[in-house]
mmCIF file of all heavy atoms in Angstrom:
data_model
loop_
_atom_site.group_PDB
_atom_site.id
_atom_site.type_symbol
_atom_site.label_atom_id
_atom_site.label_comp_id
_atom_site.label_asym_id
_atom_site.label_seq_id
_atom_site.Cartn_x
_atom_site.Cartn_y
_atom_site.Cartn_z
ATOM 1 N N CYS A 1222 19.876 -14.038 8.251
ATOM 2 C CA CYS A 1222 18.455 -14.057 7.880
ATOM 3 C C CYS A 1222 18.232 -14.126 6.369
ATOM 4 O O CYS A 1222 17.202 -14.635 5.924
ATOM 5 C CB CYS A 1222 17.747 -12.810 8.417
ATOM 6 S SG CYS A 1222 17.832 -12.620 10.204
ATOM 7 N N HIS A 1223 19.153 -13.588 5.588
ATOM 8 C CA HIS A 1223 18.966 -13.489 4.143
ATOM 9 C C HIS A 1223 19.790 -14.533 3.406
ATOM 10 O O HIS A 1223 20.717 -15.127 3.954
ATOM 11 C CB HIS A 1223 19.370 -12.095 3.658
ATOM 12 C CG HIS A 1223 18.558 -10.985 4.249
ATOM 13 N ND1 HIS A 1223 17.380 -10.527 3.702
ATOM 14 C CD2 HIS A 1223 18.765 -10.232 5.374
ATOM 15 C CE1 HIS A 1223 16.897 -9.551 4.440
ATOM 16 N NE2 HIS A 1223 17.709 -9.357 5.459
ATOM 17 N N THR A 1224 19.449 -14.733 2.146
ATOM 18 C CA THR A 1224 20.222 -15.609 1.275
ATOM 19 C C THR A 1224 20.517 -14.874 -0.031
ATOM 20 O O THR A 1224 19.861 -13.879 -0.348
ATOM 21 C CB THR A 1224 19.459 -16.913 0.944
ATOM 22 O OG1 THR A 1224 18.357 -16.617 0.062
ATOM 23 C CG2 THR A 1224 18.931 -17.579 2.203
ATOM 24 N N THR A 1225 21.462 -15.392 -0.792
ATOM 25 C CA THR A 1225 21.771 -14.767 -2.078
ATOM 26 C C THR A 1225 20.748 -15.138 -3.140
ATOM 27 O O THR A 1225 20.685 -14.499 -4.185
ATOM 28 C CB THR A 1225 23.170 -15.210 -2.560
ATOM 29 O OG1 THR A 1225 23.187 -16.633 -2.697
ATOM 30 C CG2 THR A 1225 24.245 -14.773 -1.586
ATOM 31 N N SER A 1226 19.939 -16.150 -2.868
ATOM 32 C CA SER A 1226 18.940 -16.582 -3.862
ATOM 33 C C SER A 1226 17.733 -15.663 -3.876
ATOM 34 O O SER A 1226 17.192 -15.338 -4.930
ATOM 35 C CB SER A 1226 18.490 -18.014 -3.571
ATOM 36 O OG SER A 1226 19.584 -18.901 -3.646
ATOM 37 N N ASP A 1227 17.315 -15.228 -2.655
ATOM 38 C CA ASP A 1227 16.122 -14.386 -2.569
ATOM 39 C C ASP A 1227 16.278 -13.468 -1.371
ATOM 40 O O ASP A 1227 16.057 -13.868 -0.229
ATOM 41 C CB ASP A 1227 14.871 -15.259 -2.415
ATOM 42 C CG ASP A 1227 13.580 -14.434 -2.431
ATOM 43 O OD1 ASP A 1227 13.663 -13.194 -2.417
ATOM 44 O OD2 ASP A 1227 12.500 -15.039 -2.448
ATOM 45 N N TRP A 1228 16.684 -12.253 -1.644
ATOM 46 C CA TRP A 1228 16.965 -11.289 -0.563
ATOM 47 C C TRP A 1228 15.705 -10.956 0.239
ATOM 48 O O TRP A 1228 15.758 -10.753 1.447
ATOM 49 C CB TRP A 1228 17.559 -10.027 -1.178
ATOM 50 C CG TRP A 1228 17.982 -8.990 -0.184
ATOM 51 C CD1 TRP A 1228 17.308 -7.862 0.177
ATOM 52 C CD2 TRP A 1228 19.187 -9.009 0.586
ATOM 53 N NE1 TRP A 1228 18.023 -7.169 1.126
ATOM 54 C CE2 TRP A 1228 19.172 -7.844 1.396
ATOM 55 C CE3 TRP A 1228 20.277 -9.885 0.679
ATOM 56 C CZ2 TRP A 1228 20.207 -7.535 2.270
ATOM 57 C CZ3 TRP A 1228 21.306 -9.574 1.554
ATOM 58 C CH2 TRP A 1228 21.270 -8.420 2.335
ATOM 59 N N GLU A 1229 14.548 -10.906 -0.422
ATOM 60 C CA GLU A 1229 13.312 -10.485 0.229
ATOM 61 C C GLU A 1229 12.781 -11.540 1.195
ATOM 62 O O GLU A 1229 12.243 -11.224 2.259
ATOM 63 C CB GLU A 1229 12.242 -10.165 -0.818
ATOM 64 C CG GLU A 1229 12.588 -8.990 -1.723
ATOM 65 C CD GLU A 1229 12.713 -7.679 -0.950
ATOM 66 O OE1 GLU A 1229 11.970 -7.510 0.034
ATOM 67 O OE2 GLU A 1229 13.544 -6.845 -1.331
ATOM 68 N N THR A 1230 12.882 -12.812 0.818
ATOM 69 C CA THR A 1230 12.383 -13.893 1.677
ATOM 70 C C THR A 1230 13.462 -14.272 2.679
ATOM 71 O O THR A 1230 14.504 -14.812 2.310
ATOM 72 C CB THR A 1230 11.994 -15.120 0.837
ATOM 73 O OG1 THR A 1230 11.027 -14.725 -0.140
ATOM 74 C CG2 THR A 1230 11.409 -16.209 1.709
ATOM 75 N N THR A 1231 13.217 -13.970 3.939
ATOM 76 C CA THR A 1231 14.223 -14.229 4.961
ATOM 77 C C THR A 1231 14.085 -15.635 5.521
ATOM 78 O O THR A 1231 13.006 -16.223 5.515
ATOM 79 C CB THR A 1231 14.097 -13.214 6.112
ATOM 80 O OG1 THR A 1231 12.790 -13.303 6.691
ATOM 81 C CG2 THR A 1231 14.328 -11.801 5.599
ATOM 82 N N THR A 1232 15.183 -16.158 6.013
ATOM 83 C CA THR A 1232 15.195 -17.512 6.550
ATOM 84 C C THR A 1232 14.940 -17.540 8.049
ATOM 85 O O THR A 1232 14.670 -18.590 8.607
ATOM 86 C CB THR A 1232 16.556 -18.176 6.287
ATOM 87 O OG1 THR A 1232 17.592 -17.370 6.888
ATOM 88 C CG2 THR A 1232 16.831 -18.277 4.800
ATOM 89 N N PHE A 1233 15.005 -16.389 8.724
ATOM 90 C CA PHE A 1233 14.835 -16.383 10.176
ATOM 91 C C PHE A 1233 13.373 -16.543 10.556
ATOM 92 O O PHE A 1233 12.496 -15.891 9.993
ATOM 93 C CB PHE A 1233 15.362 -15.075 10.774
ATOM 94 C CG PHE A 1233 15.213 -15.014 12.269
ATOM 95 C CD1 PHE A 1233 16.085 -15.701 13.097
ATOM 96 C CD2 PHE A 1233 14.179 -14.304 12.858
ATOM 97 C CE1 PHE A 1233 15.948 -15.671 14.467
ATOM 98 C CE2 PHE A 1233 14.032 -14.261 14.225
ATOM 99 C CZ PHE A 1233 14.918 -14.946 15.033
ATOM 100 N N ASP A 1234 13.118 -17.434 11.480
ATOM 101 C CA ASP A 1234 11.752 -17.673 11.954
ATOM 102 C C ASP A 1234 11.808 -17.827 13.464
ATOM 103 O O ASP A 1234 12.399 -18.775 13.984
ATOM 104 C CB ASP A 1234 11.180 -18.943 11.307
ATOM 105 C CG ASP A 1234 9.722 -19.183 11.698
ATOM 106 O OD1 ASP A 1234 9.196 -18.430 12.543
ATOM 107 O OD2 ASP A 1234 9.125 -20.126 11.160
ATOM 108 N N HIS A 1235 11.211 -16.873 14.177
ATOM 109 C CA HIS A 1235 11.269 -16.887 15.642
ATOM 110 C C HIS A 1235 10.625 -18.154 16.217
ATOM 111 O O HIS A 1235 10.933 -18.559 17.347
ATOM 112 C CB HIS A 1235 10.570 -15.648 16.205
ATOM 113 C CG HIS A 1235 11.312 -15.019 17.346
ATOM 114 N ND1 HIS A 1235 11.480 -15.627 18.560
ATOM 115 C CD2 HIS A 1235 11.940 -13.817 17.440
ATOM 116 C CE1 HIS A 1235 12.166 -14.843 19.372
ATOM 117 N NE2 HIS A 1235 12.464 -13.741 18.724
ATOM 118 N N THR A 1236 9.743 -18.770 15.446
ATOM 119 C CA THR A 1236 9.082 -19.996 15.904
ATOM 120 C C THR A 1236 10.096 -21.107 16.130
ATOM 121 O O THR A 1236 9.873 -21.996 16.972
ATOM 122 C CB THR A 1236 8.035 -20.452 14.868
ATOM 123 O OG1 THR A 1236 7.131 -19.374 14.638
ATOM 124 C CG2 THR A 1236 7.249 -21.657 15.370
ATOM 125 N N ASN A 1237 11.194 -21.065 15.417
ATOM 126 C CA ASN A 1237 12.204 -22.113 15.525
ATOM 127 C C ASN A 1237 13.260 -21.818 16.582
ATOM 128 O O ASN A 1237 14.241 -22.547 16.696
ATOM 129 C CB ASN A 1237 12.879 -22.331 14.167
ATOM 130 C CG ASN A 1237 11.896 -22.807 13.110
ATOM 131 O OD1 ASN A 1237 10.977 -23.569 13.410
ATOM 132 N ND2 ASN A 1237 12.085 -22.370 11.872
ATOM 133 N N THR A 1238 13.068 -20.748 17.334
ATOM 134 C CA THR A 1238 14.006 -20.414 18.405
ATOM 135 C C THR A 1238 13.524 -21.014 19.718
ATOM 136 O O THR A 1238 12.477 -21.665 19.771
ATOM 137 C CB THR A 1238 14.140 -18.892 18.563
ATOM 138 O OG1 THR A 1238 12.908 -18.364 19.108
ATOM 139 C CG2 THR A 1238 14.427 -18.226 17.230
ATOM 140 N N GLN A 1239 14.259 -20.763 20.778
ATOM 141 C CA GLN A 1239 13.869 -21.239 22.114
ATOM 142 C C GLN A 1239 12.726 -20.406 22.693
ATOM 143 O O GLN A 1239 12.178 -20.758 23.742
ATOM 144 C CB GLN A 1239 15.072 -21.191 23.065
ATOM 145 C CG GLN A 1239 16.151 -22.207 22.766
ATOM 146 C CD GLN A 1239 17.287 -22.102 23.754
ATOM 147 O OE1 GLN A 1239 18.033 -21.115 23.785
ATOM 148 N NE2 GLN A 1239 17.441 -23.107 24.583
ATOM 149 N N PHE A 1240 12.352 -19.328 21.983
ATOM 150 C CA PHE A 1240 11.284 -18.464 22.480
ATOM 151 C C PHE A 1240 10.344 -18.115 21.322
ATOM 152 O O PHE A 1240 10.411 -17.016 20.757
ATOM 153 C CB PHE A 1240 11.858 -17.183 23.094
ATOM 154 C CG PHE A 1240 10.865 -16.401 23.906
ATOM 155 C CD1 PHE A 1240 10.700 -16.638 25.256
ATOM 156 C CD2 PHE A 1240 10.079 -15.427 23.320
ATOM 157 C CE1 PHE A 1240 9.790 -15.913 26.010
ATOM 158 C CE2 PHE A 1240 9.155 -14.694 24.051
ATOM 159 C CZ PHE A 1240 9.019 -14.952 25.410
ATOM 160 N N PRO A 1241 9.445 -19.039 20.937
ATOM 161 C CA PRO A 1241 8.457 -18.719 19.891
ATOM 162 C C PRO A 1241 7.580 -17.551 20.342
ATOM 163 O O PRO A 1241 7.163 -17.493 21.500
ATOM 164 C CB PRO A 1241 7.640 -20.012 19.768
ATOM 165 C CG PRO A 1241 8.513 -21.081 20.347
ATOM 166 C CD PRO A 1241 9.305 -20.421 21.434
ATOM 167 N N LEU A 1242 7.324 -16.617 19.440
ATOM 168 C CA LEU A 1242 6.506 -15.458 19.786
ATOM 169 C C LEU A 1242 5.031 -15.820 19.775
ATOM 170 O O LEU A 1242 4.516 -16.376 18.802
ATOM 171 C CB LEU A 1242 6.762 -14.316 18.795
ATOM 172 C CG LEU A 1242 8.184 -13.767 18.761
ATOM 173 C CD1 LEU A 1242 8.271 -12.604 17.780
ATOM 174 C CD2 LEU A 1242 8.645 -13.326 20.147
ATOM 175 N N THR A 1243 4.347 -15.500 20.872
ATOM 176 C CA THR A 1243 2.914 -15.749 20.984
ATOM 177 C C THR A 1243 2.231 -14.533 21.598
ATOM 178 O O THR A 1243 2.869 -13.698 22.234
ATOM 179 C CB THR A 1243 2.634 -16.983 21.881
ATOM 180 O OG1 THR A 1243 3.205 -16.754 23.186
ATOM 181 C CG2 THR A 1243 3.232 -18.244 21.281
ATOM 182 N N GLY A 1244 0.931 -14.454 21.403
ATOM 183 C CA GLY A 1244 0.132 -13.420 22.059
ATOM 184 C C GLY A 1244 0.663 -12.014 21.879
ATOM 185 O O GLY A 1244 0.963 -11.557 20.774
ATOM 186 N N ALA A 1245 0.807 -11.304 22.988
ATOM 187 C CA ALA A 1245 1.201 -9.892 22.959
ATOM 188 C C ALA A 1245 2.640 -9.682 22.525
ATOM 189 O O ALA A 1245 3.048 -8.544 22.270
ATOM 190 C CB ALA A 1245 0.982 -9.273 24.346
ATOM 191 N N HIS A 1246 3.418 -10.755 22.446
ATOM 192 C CA HIS A 1246 4.804 -10.604 22.004
ATOM 193 C C HIS A 1246 4.909 -10.407 20.490
ATOM 194 O O HIS A 1246 5.891 -9.844 20.010
ATOM 195 C CB HIS A 1246 5.622 -11.846 22.387
ATOM 196 C CG HIS A 1246 5.795 -12.025 23.856
ATOM 197 N ND1 HIS A 1246 5.675 -13.228 24.488
ATOM 198 C CD2 HIS A 1246 6.060 -11.119 24.838
ATOM 199 C CE1 HIS A 1246 5.883 -13.087 25.785
ATOM 200 N NE2 HIS A 1246 6.114 -11.814 26.029
ATOM 201 N N ILE A 1247 3.920 -10.884 19.749
ATOM 202 C CA ILE A 1247 4.022 -10.900 18.285
ATOM 203 C C ILE A 1247 4.212 -9.505 17.687
ATOM 204 O O ILE A 1247 5.091 -9.305 16.845
ATOM 205 C CB ILE A 1247 2.790 -11.599 17.669
ATOM 206 C CG1 ILE A 1247 2.768 -13.077 18.082
ATOM 207 C CG2 ILE A 1247 2.793 -11.468 16.146
ATOM 208 C CD1 ILE A 1247 1.523 -13.827 17.642
ATOM 209 N N PRO A 1248 3.421 -8.483 18.075
ATOM 210 C CA PRO A 1248 3.568 -7.177 17.415
ATOM 211 C C PRO A 1248 4.698 -6.310 17.968
ATOM 212 O O PRO A 1248 4.911 -5.207 17.477
ATOM 213 C CB PRO A 1248 2.211 -6.512 17.679
ATOM 214 C CG PRO A 1248 1.775 -7.083 18.994
ATOM 215 C CD PRO A 1248 2.268 -8.504 19.003
ATOM 216 N N LEU A 1249 5.425 -6.782 18.971
ATOM 217 C CA LEU A 1249 6.460 -5.954 19.588
ATOM 218 C C LEU A 1249 7.608 -5.672 18.623
ATOM 219 O O LEU A 1249 7.941 -6.488 17.766
ATOM 220 C CB LEU A 1249 7.025 -6.647 20.831
ATOM 221 C CG LEU A 1249 6.125 -6.778 22.052
ATOM 222 C CD1 LEU A 1249 6.867 -7.486 23.179
ATOM 223 C CD2 LEU A 1249 5.642 -5.409 22.534
ATOM 224 N N GLU A 1250 8.215 -4.497 18.778
ATOM 225 C CA GLU A 1250 9.468 -4.226 18.089
ATOM 226 C C GLU A 1250 10.541 -5.127 18.700
ATOM 227 O O GLU A 1250 10.548 -5.366 19.908
ATOM 228 C CB GLU A 1250 9.865 -2.758 18.259
ATOM 229 C CG GLU A 1250 9.039 -1.793 17.427
ATOM 230 C CD GLU A 1250 9.314 -1.957 15.941
ATOM 231 O OE1 GLU A 1250 10.493 -2.023 15.541
ATOM 232 O OE2 GLU A 1250 8.335 -2.028 15.168
ATOM 233 N N CYS A 1251 11.435 -5.601 17.866
ATOM 234 C CA CYS A 1251 12.465 -6.540 18.333
ATOM 235 C C CYS A 1251 13.267 -5.958 19.497
ATOM 236 O O CYS A 1251 13.643 -6.665 20.438
ATOM 237 C CB CYS A 1251 13.407 -6.906 17.195
ATOM 238 S SG CYS A 1251 12.556 -7.486 15.704
ATOM 239 N N ILE A 1252 13.530 -4.650 19.441
ATOM 240 C CA ILE A 1252 14.372 -4.011 20.440
ATOM 241 C C ILE A 1252 13.744 -4.061 21.829
ATOM 242 O O ILE A 1252 14.435 -3.905 22.842
ATOM 243 C CB ILE A 1252 14.672 -2.547 20.027
ATOM 244 C CG1 ILE A 1252 15.930 -2.027 20.731
ATOM 245 C CG2 ILE A 1252 13.472 -1.653 20.277
ATOM 246 C CD1 ILE A 1252 17.194 -2.667 20.251
ATOM 247 N N ALA A 1253 12.435 -4.289 21.911
ATOM 248 C CA ALA A 1253 11.779 -4.362 23.214
ATOM 249 C C ALA A 1253 12.353 -5.482 24.066
ATOM 250 O O ALA A 1253 12.443 -5.372 25.292
ATOM 251 C CB ALA A 1253 10.269 -4.564 23.029
ATOM 252 N N CYS A 1254 12.745 -6.563 23.427
ATOM 253 C CA CYS A 1254 13.347 -7.684 24.155
ATOM 254 C C CYS A 1254 14.847 -7.785 23.924
ATOM 255 O O CYS A 1254 15.548 -8.427 24.717
ATOM 256 C CB CYS A 1254 12.700 -9.005 23.738
ATOM 257 S SG CYS A 1254 10.938 -9.128 24.118
#
């Protein structure tokens, strides 16, 4: 998720996965799934 150029700005984006987060999934803690 991180890079050496900018530790704070992460590269991971759930939108680019096979399961984009929508609706009630957005505020969930990651561990829920």
Side-chain angles (χ1 to χ4, degrees):
C1222 301
H1223 299 272
T1224 71
T1225 59
S1226 299
D1227 185 352
W1228 184 259
E1229 296 297 326
T1230 303
T1231 59
T1232 58
F1233 180 77
D1234 184 355
H1235 222 293
T1236 305
N1237 298 324
T1238 70
Q1239 290 181 292
F1240 194 90
L1242 298 182
T1243 58
H1246 293 137
I1247 295 174
L1249 291 180
E1250 286 292 313
C1251 308
I1252 201 70
C1254 297

